[in-house]
Amino acid sequence: MAAQVFAYIEHKNGVADDTALELISAAQKIYPDASKTAIVTGSGAGLDAVCIDLSASYAEVWKFDSEALAYPNAEVIRKLLVAVLPPDAVVLVPHDTFGMDLSPGLSIRLDSVFVSDTVDFEGFEGDNLKVIRQEYSGQVSTHVLADLSAGAVINIRPGVFQPDESKSAAGQVVDKSSETGELTATRRFLEIVEAEAGDVDITKEDILVSVGRGIEDQDNIEIAEELAAAVGGVVSCSRPIVDAKWLEKARQVGTSGQTVKPKVYMALGISGSFQHLGGLKGNPFIVAVNKNPKAPIFQIADVGVVEDLLDFVPVLTEKIQEGK
Amino acid sequence: MEILVCVKRVPDTAENEIEVDSDGADIERDDLVYSVNEWDNYAVEEAIQIVDNVGGVVTIVSLGDAESEEIVRREMAMGANNGILVSDDAFERSDGKGVATILKAVVEKGNYDLILTGAQADDGAGQIGGMLAAMLDVPYASVVNSIEVLNDAQLKIGREIEGGNQEMNEIALPCVLSIQTGINEPRYVGIRGIRKVASVDIPVLGAADLGIDAAGVGESGARVKRIDYFVPQLGEGAEILEGSNEEVAGKLIDLLKAKGGIK
């Protein structure tokens, strides 16, 4: 019997998240002949639009419509999934802040394995799925064997698998709202506090001079500011710089910061974790300056300079100023 | 409030280049500089600040080999009251569920209102907090970047979600929270601070002390196993510019001009 794979669909304002179609490709890679079921939870009119849209891509779309599901509270959705999934289900979830909230506990409740933040699959060895993950911010990869004989919860890194746009499933929407059981929670959602706007809008800039841990000291931010001034760009940064309070949150590029689409992106002392790269869209020309030749940023950059940014960048800035 | 903070000793990626060893069985561990996992350090600071505000006790626990004692001591030097080292050959190569099973036994030996972990570690999967909460059947929230104690039974917490937004929740105690970096500014620990706790007794608990069936944890109990390390080959990689800094800067300026990188 072909395996049954379930995909948890994230959606907003009646539109499914990009990951909805990426999970199809991931499922296909795990079980080429899998029957794929989308699980869509929510409330109201937008939910139907998402379900109908996805029925073109999934053989079945399980719809769960309830006031209690209006905001995706992981605790509530965990209860729901435990109530409705078969015991040996293989469940795919996007690895984002929702997936991180939902999945580890779900695997305990389902008594199945959990595999976090996966980037690829290389088939089965017996009951064991051979999974590829990354460690140390992508500096090294690992093969992991996960025993799927009692089911699994597998978190899929967003943006890694190609979305399956074929829309060839001709599936059906099944309303399962009556099967959820009681949806109470000990954690209650209150509100979303929107990020504060900063003094610059890095999402609108063509040239970003972005600094990371390699800047080493708050006083050195000046080095990046001088380069930005010389090239006519603005300074952005990676997460550690905001954690250290050296630059404001509005300047942070990444999944937990801003999504930017510059023409040119200069990554100075940035290792290039997937959370950082997740905020970089539009295929910019990427220049990486990093003293660590193994930094993952060099794999995706167009041009690299293996050098301490504190030594190299002042030379570059001066030469640009001379040429003007 | 009684708070337990789970911490882990990891290679410090700010201090090391991580390389795969010759047969791919492990990373090259000679000469690695280790430290407390960065996320865990924020969790310890947060616990100390909560106790400073509302009173209570902070206990640090680390699962690892004998060398993990040094990070327990370091975190105690920040101002935590107690430390526990959990160590046993039978615990080695546990998967996430194994680690959570061991920590559950530690939690059940105490009387904690709040359990904190780091949201993730560089060599981990961001899974322990969520698994532990499910095993204890208490509420859980991940990537927490603010905590406000409302009363003895409830916290108001913020979660860092996509786009720099914050998701606010009320959560009932006892609960498990995984802490995101940036929630606070961890205090500096000097030599003097470490010296103060140098002779504090840190009990070591093993499988027998915790009443854990060794077959269910460690390598024998693991259903998720890392089998090797390798260096990823993603795309073609960058064209590396060679030469003196002057020469490289010159080449780079030509490229930047061509790509609209100099206005």
Side-chain angles (χ1 to χ4, degrees), chain B residues 12-68:
Chain B
D12 185 340
T13 47
E15 299 286 338
N16 304 286
E17 290 172 21
I18 305 296
E19 297 188 40
V20 177
D21 72 4
S22 55
D23 61 358
D26 197 358
I27 57 170
E28 199 62 73
R29 290 192 188 265
D30 296 347
D31 308 324
L32 276 188
V33 178
Y34 284 81
S35 62
V36 64
N37 175 40
E38 191 181 354
W39 286 264
D40 302 347
N41 198 47
Y42 282 90
V44 171
E45 175 65 36
E46 193 64 20
I48 292 169
Q49 290 189 14
I50 291 170
V51 165
D52 283 348
N53 285 331
V54 303
V57 176
V58 178
T59 301
I60 307 294
V61 62
S62 188
L63 168 63
D65 56 18
E67 296 190 73
S68 292

Side-chain angles (χ1 to χ4, degrees), chain A residues 213-284:
Chain A
R213 236 185 252 277
I215 199 83
E216 289 182 8
D217 193 285
Q218 184 166 17
D219 294 339
N220 296 333
I221 300 277
E222 207 175 300
I223 294 172
E225 283 167 349
E226 282 165 6
L227 176 58
V231 298
V234 305
V235 173
S236 57
C237 64
S238 64
R239 173 174 195 108
I241 304 302
V242 173
D243 283 347
K245 317 266 191 290
W246 293 349
L247 285 172
E248 58 181 352
K249 179 94 184 158
R251 292 200 188 238
Q252 183 194 331
V253 175
T255 52
S256 62
Q258 306 289 328
T259 299
V260 298
K261 37 186 186 323
K263 292 197 174 75
V264 173
Y265 190 74
M266 287 189 241
L268 311 179
I270 289 175
S271 67
S273 70
F274 89 92
Q275 290 95 340
H276 181 73
L277 301 175
L280 197 52
K281 303 286 182 199
N283 197 24

Side-chain angles (χ1 to χ4, degrees), chain A residues 166-317:
Chain A
S166 62
K167 301 202 184 293
S168 56
Q172 52 171 338
V173 179
V174 185
D175 190 339
K176 296 233 173 196
S177 304
S178 63
E179 297 178 22
T180 61
E182 204 190 347
L183 296 177
T184 54
T186 49
R187 178 178 128 196
R188 191 166 66 87
F189 168 69
L190 300 173
E191 59 170 340
I192 300 288
V193 179
E194 302 269 341
E196 281 177 36
D199 56 358
V200 291
D201 185 354
I202 61 170
T203 66
K204 302 237 163 32
E205 294 290 332
D206 284 341
I207 303 173
L208 290 175
V209 175
S210 212
V211 294
R213 236 185 252 277
I215 199 83
E216 289 182 8
D217 193 285
Q218 184 166 17
D219 294 339
N220 296 333
I221 300 277
E222 207 175 300
I223 294 172
E225 283 167 349
E226 282 165 6
L227 176 58
V231 298
V234 305
V235 173
S236 57
C237 64
S238 64
R239 173 174 195 108
I241 304 302
V242 173
D243 283 347
K245 317 266 191 290
W246 293 349
L247 285 172
E248 58 181 352
K249 179 94 184 158
R251 292 200 188 238
Q252 183 194 331
V253 175
T255 52
S256 62
Q258 306 289 328
T259 299
V260 298
K261 37 186 186 323
K263 292 197 174 75
V264 173
Y265 190 74
M266 287 189 241
L268 311 179
I270 289 175
S271 67
S273 70
F274 89 92
Q275 290 95 340
H276 181 73
L277 301 175
L280 197 52
K281 303 286 182 199
N283 197 24
F285 182 73
I286 300 174
V287 178
V289 181
N290 202 301
K291 63 183 173 187
N292 176 4
K294 300 263 164 37
I297 190 79
F298 287 121
Q299 295 177 356
I300 63 108
D302 296 280
V303 173
V305 178
V306 181
E307 178 62 270
D308 190 332
L309 80 92
L310 301 178
D311 295 329
F312 177 71
V313 173
V315 176
L316 176 64
T317 304

Side-chain angles (χ1 to χ4, degrees), chain B residues 48-251:
Chain B
I48 292 169
Q49 290 189 14
I50 291 170
V51 165
D52 283 348
N53 285 331
V54 303
V57 176
V58 178
T59 301
I60 307 294
V61 62
S62 188
L63 168 63
D65 56 18
E67 296 190 73
S68 292
E69 190 196 288
E70 122 204 30
I71 63 141
V72 174
R73 215 172 278 285
R74 187 204 172 277
E75 299 305 286
M76 288 181 70
M78 290 172 73
N81 307 86
N82 306 311
I84 304 169
L85 176 62
V86 177
S87 193
D88 195 311
D89 290 347
F91 295 161
E92 279 179 31
R93 304 182 79 87
S94 290
D95 64 5
K97 195 173 280 191
V99 172
T101 301
I102 295 160
L103 289 173
K104 174 175 182 263
V106 174
V107 170
E108 286 174 340
K109 278 185 95 74
N111 186 25
Y112 302 104
D113 305 295
L114 177 61
I115 297 147
L116 303 182
T117 68
Q120 61 184 86
D122 277 329
D123 61 350
Q127 62 189 352
I128 301 304
M131 289 182 167
L132 180 59
M135 287 179 180
L136 294 166
D137 200 18
V138 300
Y140 172 64
S142 64
V143 285
V144 169
N145 67 354
S146 74
I147 300 178
E148 180 190 341
V149 179
L150 295 176
N151 52 53
D152 287 349
Q154 269 190 323
L155 305 177
K156 182 176 178 181
I157 55 133
R159 294 182 61 235
E160 184 188 80
I161 58 169
E162 280 70 18
N165 298 332
Q166 192 181 29
E167 178 199 284
M168 304 307 298
N169 298 267
E170 271 176 16
I171 192 165
L173 292 169
C175 67
V176 179
L177 305 178
S178 85
I179 302 298
Q180 178 61 294
T181 56
I183 185 174
N184 52 42
E185 295 181 60
R187 67 198 66 191
Y188 175 75
V189 180
I191 292 288
R192 194 177 298 176
I194 305 260
R195 226 176 263 153
K196 264 190 191 165
V197 295
S199 57
V200 174
D201 183 45
I202 295 176
V204 182
L205 303 181
D209 306 306
L210 292 167
I212 291 171
D213 175 11
V217 297
E219 190 158 19
S220 56
R223 286 194 282 162
V224 179
K225 295 178 184 177
R226 182 202 293 123
I227 52 171
D228 66 10
Y229 282 91
F230 62 100
V231 178
Q233 303 280 341
L234 302 174
E236 292 176 21
E239 176 200 347
I240 302 296
L241 302 180
E242 313 270 0
S244 70
N245 280 351
E246 281 278 327
E247 291 162 0
V248 170
K251 290 180 198 171

Side-chain angles (χ1 to χ4, degrees), chain A residues 66-143:
Chain A
S66 162
E67 195 59 36
L69 297 166
Y71 185 84
N73 177 335
E75 182 180 339
V76 175
I77 291 165
R78 199 153 44 232
K79 272 189 188 171
L80 179 155
L81 293 174
V82 171
V84 303
L85 289 174
D88 58 351
V90 172
V91 190
L92 307 187
V93 183
H95 189 70
D96 53 19
T97 61
F98 173 79
M100 290 174 78
D101 221 29
L102 174 81
S103 297
L106 180 62
S107 77
I108 299 298
R109 298 266 191 242
L110 293 173
D111 198 18
S112 62
V113 295
F114 171 57
V115 198
S116 182
D117 190 18
T118 56
V119 298
D120 206 358
F121 305 100
E122 292 186 348
F124 280 84
E125 293 178 4
D127 285 333
N128 289 313
L129 175 65
K130 198 170 181 186
V131 180
I132 297 182
R133 299 189 64 244
Q134 295 182 345
E135 293 188 4
Y136 303 102
S137 314
Q139 289 189 68
V140 293
S141 291
T142 67
H143 285 109

